[in-house]
Amino acid sequence: MEIWYKIIGLFLSVVAGGVLVELFKKASHLKLLLSFSGGFLLTIIFTHIFPESYKDNGSITGYFILLGFLLQLILEYFSKGAEHGHTHIHHEDGDHVHKTFPIAIFVSLSLHAFIESVPLDHHGHAHVDDLYWGVILHKIPVAVALMTILVAGGYSRKQSWIYLILFGLTAPLGILMGEPILENLSINPDYILSVAVGMFLHISTTIIFESSEGHKLNFIKLIAILAGFAMGMVMT
């Protein structure tokens, strides 16, 4: 897939998230998409990315996957779980909403988007395009969560869209700047791909575990997860 198609697709997925907030006003409508994307990402990781990465780079791959997993754990401390649909905003004075920019959430989501996009132009890996579609599916609910948080923080529609568009530019920047950065630092692109996979592993497992409420898996969410598994298995 051409790089510019990927850049446009990543940006439009964020715009789509903002449009969905405008149409439905609630992030709850995206729970099924989150479940589907979680199942899809997990399948792509285990059936495509893991085997090829270990075949090409050996056991050192595991260390970079673990690094990505831990990095995502740190990022979610600041993002409050917006990567998997959390939109909770707490105000010290009860229900009164006052304008507060969620800088920690915005920065952590942007950093995540940048890192996950760096290896998407990695031509040396056969299944990067599959991972790209998983990222597209995942970015829509993330954009919904961010837009919802901005609106809940007291920002106007115009201001919220400005910040959402700024967020939408981080993934394209990751694709455009990733290869030059890796070349200048003499970093193997496979290692960054493994870091991104570790981040996705954390996100996808969290999405699936959070689909279970009170230790009971919602049947519709189960179908969405299984559909994600099936889609991941049929992709080559």
Side-chain angles (χ1 to χ4, degrees):
M1 182 182 295
E2 293 292 334
I3 183 173
W4 289 108
Y5 289 128
K6 290 184 178 181
I7 289 172
I8 293 171
L10 289 168
F11 181 75
L12 290 182
S13 65
V14 173
V15 173
V19 171
L20 287 171
V21 173
E22 296 280 6
L23 293 176
F24 299 107
K25 306 301 181 185
K26 293 182 179 180
S28 58
H29 298 84
L30 272 295
K31 294 297 184 182
L32 293 181
L33 180 57
L34 267 172
S35 298
F36 178 85
S37 68
F40 180 82
L41 280 169
L42 202 60
T43 303
I44 291 298
I45 288 170
F46 280 115
T47 62
H48 297 333
I49 307 296
F50 270 6
E52 189 169 335
S53 295
Y54 275 98
K55 179 182 178 181
D56 292 343
N57 299 290
S59 60
I60 194 173
T61 297
Y63 293 98
F64 287 99
I65 292 173
L66 181 60
L67 176 61
F69 192 95
L70 295 176
L71 176 59
Q72 184 58 37
L73 190 65
I74 295 171
L75 289 176
E76 289 194 13
Y77 174 80
F78 296 100
S79 69
K80 311 301 180 186
E83 294 91 339
H84 36 88
H86 287 192
T87 57
H88 306 298
I89 296 291
H90 301 286
H91 299 285
E92 295 180 357
D93 49 351
D95 295 329
H96 177 66
V97 177
H98 47 122
K99 186 183 293 186
T100 54
F101 183 68
I103 185 169
I105 294 176
F106 184 84
V107 171
S108 59
L109 288 179
S110 297
L111 183 58
H112 169 87
F114 185 90
I115 295 173
E116 73 181 6
S117 301
V118 168
L120 293 182
D121 192 38
H122 179 22
H123 302 291
H125 203 291
H127 297 291
V128 164
D129 284 349
D130 297 340
L131 187 62
Y132 164 77
W133 289 111
V135 174
I136 288 288
L137 288 171
H138 178 67
K139 290 191 77 63
I140 297 174
V142 171
V144 168
L146 179 59
M147 188 69 160
T148 303
I149 290 169
L150 288 167
V151 172
Y155 281 85
S156 67
R157 174 187 293 181
K158 180 179 178 180
Q159 291 170 323
S160 298
W161 270 104
I162 289 173
Y163 288 120
L164 187 70
I165 288 174
L166 288 175
F167 167 70
L169 294 174
T170 56
L173 283 175
I175 291 183
L176 290 173
M177 298 174 61
E179 187 172 346
I181 291 175
L182 296 180
E183 288 181 356
N184 290 333
L185 298 177
S186 299
I187 297 176
N188 187 337
D190 287 342
Y191 297 161
I192 302 301
L193 176 61
S194 297
V195 170
V197 166
M199 297 170 72
F200 286 128
L201 181 62
H202 183 285
I203 290 172
S204 57
T205 52
T206 301
I207 289 172
I208 291 175
F209 290 146
E210 288 187 345
S211 296
S212 176
E213 299 173 0
H215 302 290
K216 294 182 179 179
L217 188 62
N218 181 291
F219 180 73
I220 301 300
K221 290 182 180 179
L222 174 61
I223 295 299
I225 292 171
L226 293 177
F229 286 160
M231 179 65 73
M233 285 187 286
V234 299
M235 292 190 69
T236 56

